[in-house]
Amino acid sequence: MNSIFLRIYGGMLAALVLVALLGFLTLHLVNQVRGDEYREGLARGTFRLMADNLQPMNRVERHRALLQWERLLGIPLDVQALDQQPLDSHARERLRRGQVLVIKDGHKPSLVYSLLSGPEALVLVGEVQQISEQLARATVYLLSDELVRYPVAEQPARLAQIKEGKQFGFELKLITLQEAQLDDDQRRRVDEGDTVMALGKGGESIHIFAGLLDTPWVLELGPLQLMNPAPPQLLVLIAALALSLIGLAVYLLVHQLERRLRGLEGAATRIAAGSLETRVPTRGADSVGRLAAAFNHMAGQLQHLLTIQREMVRAVSHELRTPVARLRFGLEMISDAQTDQARRKYMDGMDSDIQELDRLVDEMLTYSRLEQGEPALKFQRVDLDALLDQVLSEQAPLRPAIRLLCGTTPAAEPALVDGELRYLHRALQNLVSNAMRHAETRVRVSYSLQGEQCRVDVEDDGPGVPEADWERLFTPFLRLDDSRTRASGGHGLGLSIVRRIIYWHAGRALVGRSADLGGACFSLVWPRQQTQREATV
């Protein structure tokens, strides 16, 4: 048991380490995705604005514009064919849907792609080293250049149109210099046409302010949230906490499992010590609960088999006592016999006792084989008419005073059923022999084929069996206290053997009262077709 739990704990530990590694990698991947979304949000509006400005230009005008932007912004820019870009199909599809791509490869500059509208499938490509600062300068320059083309009064409305159409990832506003949250030095620089970057509250964002010349407006960009990826220490801490919580949960589950399994182990030990009534609680429908239910069923079966074995030992001891005593008496009388006729008489009696012992041993062995496991049944097609004729012809000479009747008229077609011929013969022989011992004058045997079922009835005109004793009549070594007493012969195993035989044929053995003869009616019912089963005794 301890080695089992050591293996369980080892497997759980390996699983926890794997979960921790997967959690660490998942958080790292989340950081990457957050970084890509952050960079794309910064670059989206600016590169869309540049791409839309380049669209109506011819090649020469585009080249001049790109050179001018490169000098002012410090960003290498180029217009290339989309098919020439080292992009996968998913990235190309995103560009065709109007999205802006930002591809970051280690410490190299970020590559930004934006598709120019039109039939030529051209893409604007830029290399951005410091994406927040360079894109901020580019945004200020492009917006300022765009807004100065409109009257002062129309500039706020035009800015709103640009923000909505280009889907900037941050706020764009035109405010007055007095409204800007800047100190005096910063206000002076903005008033002189400079661009000022101011940290927001908490230092986790920045605002960019740029004055528009010859206007009362100040262009405010932001807040631009800073990208703060989770540090490795935080990732390790989260992984450790997750590992601890999962480990605690697994420990509680395994501890409960261990406690329940140790209960099973203790119950098995008590059963092995002889306490056969021991059972374990069957809580829940999980694997341990099903195991406990199977354990209780096994314990019940074991108790039942041992009870049968003990009863059989007691019954056999009782059954052997009478013939052994008669044999001892016969041996003593032979030595005292004066004539050959007297010795012959005692020897015939001893021979009869030996035959009775032989029959008892045969019945015990047969019942033991049928009770302790599934016998090797080799089913074959059996002709019921031929089988009943054979059984009746064998039993008729044993009690000539009893009339054996066949209650079924043979049909034109043979009455064929599946069965193990040797065992079916034994079951019918036991039933007919039992009926002949208790019949007054008649015994009738009949059969019927009803759909997929076969039924054989053995009836007699004897005293019958009380209804209260019908079920326990098949108990091994049982004799009822009425007319079916020891004087009628038998050892009490015949009907038990019948029930086990028909059980292995997937059928039932029943007892009732004969409506025609008034005595007992024993019935065997089993399927006409059997599935072949092979098993060892």
Side-chain angles (χ1 to χ4, degrees), residues 214-517:
D214 301 327
T215 70
W217 302 119
V218 174
L219 177 62
E220 180 182 1
L221 279 64
L224 280 70
Q225 300 296 331
L226 299 179
M227 175 59 187
N228 294 318
Q233 296 84 353
L234 179 60
L235 296 181
V236 172
L237 177 61
I238 293 175
L241 290 176
L243 184 64
S244 300
L245 292 176
I246 296 175
L248 178 61
V250 170
Y251 170 76
L252 294 177
L253 291 175
V254 173
H255 179 69
Q256 183 181 9
L257 174 65
E258 180 180 7
R259 182 168 53 84
R260 295 169 69 184
L261 289 180
R262 290 195 183 279
L264 282 172
E265 182 183 18
T269 303
R270 291 192 295 273
I271 289 178
S275 180
L276 300 179
E277 69 281 356
T278 301
R279 299 294 184 271
V280 294
T282 56
R283 298 187 300 270
D286 55 1
S287 299
V288 179
R290 294 193 298 272
L291 176 61
F295 180 88
N296 288 341
H297 178 71
M298 177 201 68
Q301 289 293 102
L302 180 61
Q303 185 177 18
H304 173 69
L305 291 176
L306 289 178
T307 300
I308 291 176
Q309 184 183 41
R310 291 169 182 170
E311 292 177 354
M312 182 177 291
V313 170
R314 288 195 297 267
V316 168
S317 301
H318 181 72
E319 293 291 338
L320 290 175
R321 185 176 295 114
T322 299
V324 170
R326 288 203 301 262
L327 283 172
R328 184 182 295 112
F329 176 76
L331 288 173
E332 293 176 354
M333 295 305 296
I334 286 177
S335 61
D336 296 335
Q338 301 297 325
T339 63
D340 292 340
Q341 183 178 2
R343 282 192 292 270
R344 173 59 59 184
K345 175 184 175 182
Y346 293 125
M347 291 179 65
D348 291 341
M350 293 171 62
D351 183 66
S352 176
D353 292 333
I354 292 174
Q355 291 181 12
E356 182 179 351
L357 288 174
D358 184 63
R359 287 194 299 270
L360 174 60
V361 172
D362 178 64
E363 289 192 350
M364 288 171 50
L365 292 176
T366 301
Y367 180 77
S368 178
R369 285 195 297 268
L370 293 171
E371 182 65 30
Q372 294 183 7
E374 185 176 359
L377 300 179
K378 296 182 179 180
F379 295 114
Q380 63 186 76
R381 303 296 285 174
V382 177
D383 187 342
L384 277 182
D385 290 314
L387 178 60
L388 293 181
D389 288 343
Q390 180 183 359
V391 172
L392 294 179
S393 63
E394 292 172 349
Q395 297 297 315
L398 301 181
R399 290 197 64 185
I402 302 299
R403 293 176 56 199
L404 291 179
L405 307 175
C406 184
T408 304
T409 302
E413 296 291 333
L416 300 178
V417 296
D418 286 351
E420 166 59 77
L421 180 59
R422 175 169 57 98
Y423 283 121
L424 282 182
H425 180 276
R426 180 62 177 270
L428 293 175
Q429 176 181 284
N430 285 4
L431 287 182
V432 173
S433 174
N434 180 75
M436 291 177 66
R437 283 199 301 271
H438 304 289
E440 297 291 341
T441 59
R442 290 179 298 167
V443 172
R444 184 172 65 185
V445 182
S446 60
Y447 70 84
S448 61
L449 303 179
Q450 302 172 353
E452 298 298 323
Q453 297 289 324
C454 170
R455 181 186 181 102
V456 175
D457 296 316
V458 178
E459 306 169 81
D460 64 64
D461 60 353
V465 181
E467 186 173 351
D469 297 322
W470 283 358
E471 183 60 31
R472 68 189 189 98
L473 187 63
F474 295 95
T475 303
F477 297 104
L478 175 70
R479 291 190 180 87
L480 303 182
D481 295 331
D482 56 10
S483 62
R484 295 173 182 263
T485 60
R486 181 180 297 276
S488 63
H491 303 96
L493 281 175
L495 295 180
S496 301
I497 291 174
V498 170
R499 168 162 283 191
R500 297 307 296 174
I501 288 175
I502 207 64
Y503 170 81
W504 293 122
H505 281 73
R508 296 173 297 156
L510 309 172
V511 61
R513 183 171 298 279
S514 173
D516 296 331
L517 302 185

Side-chain angles (χ1 to χ4, degrees), residues 40 43-45 47-48 51 82 87 90-102 112-116 123-124 166-167:
E40 289 181 6
R44 183 169 54 243
F47 268 75
R48 279 186 174 180
L82 177 60
L87 301 174
H90 177 67
R92 295 175 188 273
E93 184 62 28
R94 291 180 61 191
L95 285 174
R96 292 189 179 96
R97 291 198 300 265
Q99 297 183 14
V100 173
L101 297 183
V102 179
V112 185
Y113 298 87
S114 181
L115 187 67
L116 277 65
V123 63
L124 172 63
K166 309 309 177 186
Q167 296 182 354

Side-chain angles (χ1 to χ4, degrees), residues 56-278:
M57 301 179 183
N58 56 36
R59 181 175 298 179
V60 176
E61 292 173 339
R62 288 174 184 168
H63 182 67
R64 291 175 181 173
L66 291 175
L67 290 178
Q68 183 180 4
W69 289 344
E70 286 182 358
R71 288 195 303 269
L72 293 174
L73 306 177
I75 301 175
L77 297 170
D78 194 9
V79 174
Q80 303 174 4
L82 177 60
D83 295 339
Q84 298 177 355
Q85 306 307 309
L87 301 174
D88 56 28
S89 59
H90 177 67
R92 295 175 188 273
E93 184 62 28
R94 291 180 61 191
L95 285 174
R96 292 189 179 96
R97 291 198 300 265
Q99 297 183 14
V100 173
L101 297 183
V102 179
I103 299 178
K104 178 68 174 176
D105 184 10
H107 299 288
K108 297 180 180 179
S110 299
L111 295 178
V112 185
Y113 298 87
S114 181
L115 187 67
L116 277 65
S117 59
E120 301 181 23
L122 299 177
V123 63
L124 172 63
V125 183
E127 292 185 11
V128 183
Q129 187 71 39
Q130 297 178 341
I131 193 165
S132 58
E133 297 179 6
Q134 290 179 312
L135 286 178
R137 289 198 301 269
T139 304
V140 169
Y141 172 78
L142 292 172
L143 290 176
S144 300
D145 184 64
E146 179 71 20
L147 293 175
V148 295
R149 302 176 188 176
Y150 292 84
V152 173
E154 298 179 5
Q155 288 176 353
R158 177 55 184 165
L159 181 63
Q161 292 178 353
I162 294 174
K163 175 186 175 183
E164 182 178 358
K166 309 309 177 186
Q167 296 182 354
F168 277 83
F170 44 85
E171 289 291 331
L172 303 175
K173 292 186 295 184
L174 285 178
I175 59 176
T176 63
L177 184 60
Q178 290 72 23
E179 295 173 340
Q181 297 181 357
L182 300 171
D183 57 29
D184 294 339
D185 181 64
Q186 291 173 332
R187 292 176 187 273
R188 178 186 58 78
R189 290 170 55 194
V190 170
D191 189 49
E192 294 175 355
D194 197 2
T195 298
V196 174
M197 300 180 64
L199 289 176
K201 293 182 179 180
E204 296 182 354
S205 63
I206 58 173
H207 293 257
I208 300 175
F209 299 90
L212 299 182
L213 297 177
D214 301 327
T215 70
W217 302 119
V218 174
L219 177 62
E220 180 182 1
L221 279 64
L224 280 70
Q225 300 296 331
L226 299 179
M227 175 59 187
N228 294 318
Q233 296 84 353
L234 179 60
L235 296 181
V236 172
L237 177 61
I238 293 175
L241 290 176
L243 184 64
S244 300
L245 292 176
I246 296 175
L248 178 61
V250 170
Y251 170 76
L252 294 177
L253 291 175
V254 173
H255 179 69
Q256 183 181 9
L257 174 65
E258 180 180 7
R259 182 168 53 84
R260 295 169 69 184
L261 289 180
R262 290 195 183 279
L264 282 172
E265 182 183 18
T269 303
R270 291 192 295 273
I271 289 178
S275 180
L276 300 179
E277 69 281 356
T278 301

